[in-house]
Amino acid sequence: MANSIQKETEMGFKNKYERLDLVEELEEEDEDEDLELKWMQRRRSTKKYVYACALFASLNSILLGYDGGVMSGAILYIQKDLNITEFQEEILVGCISVISLIGSLSGGHTSDAIGRKWTMGLGAIVFQFGVIIMTFAPSYSILMIGRLMAGVGMGFCGMISGVYIAEISPAAARGTLTSFIEISINLGILLGYVSNYAFSGLSMHINWRFMLGVGVLPSVFIGIALFVIPESPRWLVMKNRLEEARVVLVKLSETDIEVEQRMEEIKEAARTSKDCEGKAVLRELLNPSPAVLRMLFAGCGMQIFQMITGIDAVCYYSPTIFKNAGMKSDKEILAATIAVGSSKTIFILVAIFLVDKVGRKPLLYVSTIGMTCCLFILSIALTLPNSAFGIELAILAVCSNVAFFSVGMGPICWVFSSEIFPLRLRAQASALGQVGGRVTSGLVSMSFLSASRVISVAGVFFVFAALSAISVLFVKFCIPETKGKTLEQIEMMFREEKDSNRGVVELGDAESLISTDG
């Protein structure tokens, strides 16, 4: 208003009405500026809050990654300390993936009953008890009991984090936010590798116990996070707790108009769910409509191809791979695994920055094609005589393979699987979608050593390379582009068969992405 006084002194007015009009105009300009400032402040506040919620929810996934990383080194000392056989080693490493199915399938029912965020807490508690039992296990049988309990907890954690993040995220940032899960997994793997290296100098009887015991720490932060993050607004609407859902949406949305739009979309999805209440969710999943069948095929297929291309074999058995390449010292081998974990963690940032800009499919093309090449090179490196070149090529191939995995297959599998199912099916369908992935992961982990003895380690990775080549075709023909669509729009895309191919990004887009980056 100071400017208005100055203008009054510089201008003459024909009458008082002209002066009043100017004052009103200046006041409206001030109000517009205030509104714009408030909107900018709310936008920044909302963005920070949504990112914080996604970050806290993704902490669960550190548990999954840490187990994969730490067991790769701990198993070297468990084998010597407890004098277990190669078969027992395979069962110990791989059983956690299969047993996690119990947690995944139970988690679908639990998350619908008690909510998304408290299911995360339940999973963290079960995993924590499993880790404590493993840490103090006096024998292989007790170690297996703790391992099985940790597997159930991992199942709860694995299925619910993606569902929760997808349900709180705005469509424009959902890919980035859901990718936080893969960041946490990679961070967990890296922490596991570092833990192996840090405690490897202790006596053989206690070093692996310290390695496993550190896995309790992430659970503490998860417990704190549960008192910070809100419940999923979609779950609240599903339970007819509309006012609570609106309060949460106000915190998650940039404008009141967006709150109302998201509220109406969720209520419409919830009404559809009620219309289908007579048809049990599990029965609908086992006897699906054509649209749900397409969703299950795409979601389960992504989970299977994520694991069947050998990523768990690389994470769990990287010391075995490097030994086979010619490395001798356990200390050097564990140091090399840190390079693997670092590559896997760093390159996830590429996916985070690009997944909501260029889309899911271009990154999947780059990822699957890159993994195919790296796995093929690794199989060749492992056939070379023990030499410095063979060792360096093997390390480079493994690091590059996990880097390409982190660019696409790793994070986008979580993004895609958590966003394609309708509200009434989302939790249990996401859990069911992990069945194929978990079973495949378990089979790969539990058969790697036996298969390597039959066809050699190089032969096993040649098979992984062939399967990775098939995954490129799966991405091309079975995965639609979901970038920028709301969860409800994605559901409609699958319901209308013609629309299921709309927005599909062809292989040429991946080539243009590569050329642009270059």
Side-chain angles (χ1 to χ4, degrees):
M1 293 299 295
N3 292 334
S4 66
I5 296 173
Q6 183 179 354
K7 287 181 180 178
E8 285 183 46
T9 60
E10 293 176 353
M11 299 171 56
F13 295 98
K14 294 180 179 178
N15 53 56
K16 65 178 180 180
Y17 298 108
E18 185 177 344
R19 178 181 180 282
L20 288 173
D21 288 342
L22 178 61
V23 170
E24 288 176 0
E25 183 180 334
L26 292 170
E27 287 177 345
E28 287 175 3
E29 288 178 1
D30 289 341
E31 288 177 4
D32 290 341
E33 289 177 3
D34 289 341
L35 288 174
E36 185 176 355
L37 180 61
K38 289 179 181 178
W39 178 77
M40 291 295 293
Q41 290 173 341
R42 177 172 176 177
R43 185 180 183 184
R44 285 194 293 267
S45 175
T46 298
K47 187 175 182 179
K48 289 178 182 178
Y49 185 73
V50 173
Y51 272 70
C53 290
L55 182 62
F56 280 128
S58 68
L59 289 178
N60 262 313
S61 302
I62 290 181
L63 305 177
L64 294 132
Y66 186 82
D67 177 83
V70 78
M71 190 53 71
S72 68
I75 195 65
L76 299 174
Y77 304 102
I78 293 172
Q79 187 180 34
K80 298 172 185 176
D81 186 32
L82 300 183
N83 195 29
I84 62 176
T85 66
E86 185 180 272
F87 175 74
Q88 288 176 315
E89 180 184 348
E90 285 184 317
I91 296 299
L92 181 65
V93 170
C95 71
I96 198 165
S97 295
V98 177
I99 203 67
S100 67
L101 289 176
I102 296 175
S104 294
L105 295 174
S106 302
H109 294 283
T110 305
S111 65
D112 282 342
I114 67 173
R116 310 317 196 202
K117 77 172 187 174
W118 296 115
T119 300
M120 295 183 211
L122 179 61
I125 291 171
V126 175
F127 182 87
Q128 193 172 40
F129 276 109
V131 169
I132 292 171
I133 292 172
M134 286 193 291
T135 302
F136 296 100
S139 64
Y140 178 77
S141 58
I142 302 298
L143 186 64
M144 278 297 298
I145 292 174
R147 188 82 172 145
L148 296 176
M149 184 174 290
V152 173
M154 278 178 58
F156 275 101
C157 297
M159 65 77 47
I160 196 58
S161 295
V163 171
Y164 176 84
I165 295 175
E167 290 187 346
I168 68 165
S169 303
R174 189 174 56 249
T176 297
L177 295 173
T178 312
S179 297
F180 283 6
I181 295 174
E182 188 66 15
I183 291 182
S184 294
I185 291 175
N186 290 342
L187 181 60
I189 291 172
L190 180 58
L191 290 175
Y193 289 153
V194 171
S195 177
N196 290 339
Y197 186 79
F199 296 116
S200 61
L202 301 177
S203 68
M204 187 173 60
H205 181 64
I206 64 171
N207 56 6
W208 63 269
R209 299 179 188 277
F210 273 96
M211 294 174 187
L212 297 179
V214 172
V216 170
L217 297 180
S219 301
V220 177
F221 294 102
I222 294 168
I224 296 172
L226 293 178
F227 294 96
V228 176
I229 63 176
E231 183 52 84
S232 161
R234 286 175 168 83
W235 182 82
L236 291 170
V237 171
M238 196 165 62
K239 295 298 179 181
N240 205 32
R241 293 159 61 175
L242 302 182
E243 287 307 313
E244 293 177 60
R246 191 181 299 277
V247 170
V248 174
L249 283 174
V250 168
K251 296 178 181 179
L252 299 174
S253 305
E254 295 179 359
T255 65
D256 292 337
I257 295 175
E258 185 183 346
V259 171
E260 295 306 319
Q261 287 176 340
R262 293 177 72 176
M263 191 71 180
E264 287 304 313
E265 287 177 350
I266 295 170
K267 285 163 69 175
E268 180 60 33
R271 278 194 290 271
T272 304
S273 300
K274 289 181 180 179
D275 291 340
C276 301
E277 276 181 351
K279 190 175 184 180
V281 170
L282 185 58
R283 198 184 319 138
E284 185 173 358
L285 291 174
L286 295 177
N287 185 26
S289 65
V292 174
L293 182 61
R294 286 193 292 272
M295 295 174 189
L296 289 172
F297 184 77
C300 291
M302 277 285 286
Q303 295 276 358
I304 290 172
F305 276 109
Q306 186 193 49
M307 294 301 170
I308 206 171
T309 48
I311 190 64
D312 275 4
V314 172
C315 292
Y316 281 122
Y317 295 108
S318 50
T320 302
I321 296 168
F322 295 140
K323 272 187 177 181
N324 196 266
M327 296 184 73
K328 304 297 182 184
S329 166
D330 284 350
K331 198 79 172 177
E332 290 179 356
I333 289 172
L334 294 179
T337 62
I338 293 178
V340 175
S342 299
S343 299
K344 201 169 186 299
T345 303
I346 291 170
F347 277 86
I348 184 62
L349 299 177
V350 176
I352 285 183
F353 287 126
L354 296 180
V355 67
D356 283 319
K357 293 181 180 178
V358 303
R360 283 53 160 159
K361 289 196 73 164
L363 291 179
L364 284 174
Y365 280 133
V366 171
S367 178
T368 51
I369 293 171
M371 287 168 59
T372 302
C373 296
C374 292
L375 290 167
F376 183 70
I377 292 171
L378 178 59
S379 66
I380 293 175
L382 293 172
T383 62
L384 299 176
N386 292 340
S387 63
F389 175 73
I391 293 172
E392 291 172 0
L393 187 61
I395 293 174
L396 178 62
V398 170
C399 289
S400 300
N401 177 63
V402 298
F404 277 113
F405 179 86
S406 290
V407 165
M409 252 336 234
I412 293 175
C413 181
W414 295 102
V415 174
F416 188 75
S417 298
S418 63
E419 67 185 3
I420 62 173
F421 298 108
L423 178 61
R424 69 182 182 281
L425 305 176
R426 186 166 297 134
Q428 296 191 42
S430 297
L432 188 62
Q434 291 192 37
V435 170
R438 292 292 91 200
V439 170
T440 305
S441 172
L443 291 176
V444 168
S445 302
M446 289 191 289
S447 64
F448 179 78
L449 295 177
S450 300
S452 298
R453 194 168 57 250
V454 174
I455 63 174
S456 77
V457 177
V460 171
F461 279 99
F462 185 81
V463 172
F464 287 149
L467 293 170
S468 184
I470 296 173
S471 72
V472 179
L473 300 177
F474 177 80
V475 169
K476 178 174 177 60
F477 294 107
C478 302
I479 303 299
E481 182 58 75
T482 56
K483 181 191 75 169
K485 295 180 173 64
T486 67
L487 298 179
E488 289 70 30
Q489 288 171 341
I490 293 171
E491 179 182 350
M492 292 305 300
M493 181 177 65
F494 275 96
R495 289 194 176 281
E496 298 178 21
E497 189 167 6
K498 292 180 181 179
D499 286 351
S500 66
N501 290 320
R502 283 185 188 172
V504 171
V505 181
E506 297 300 333
L507 191 58
D509 292 321
E511 295 170 356
S512 65
L513 173 62
I514 296 173
S515 63
T516 301
D517 290 342

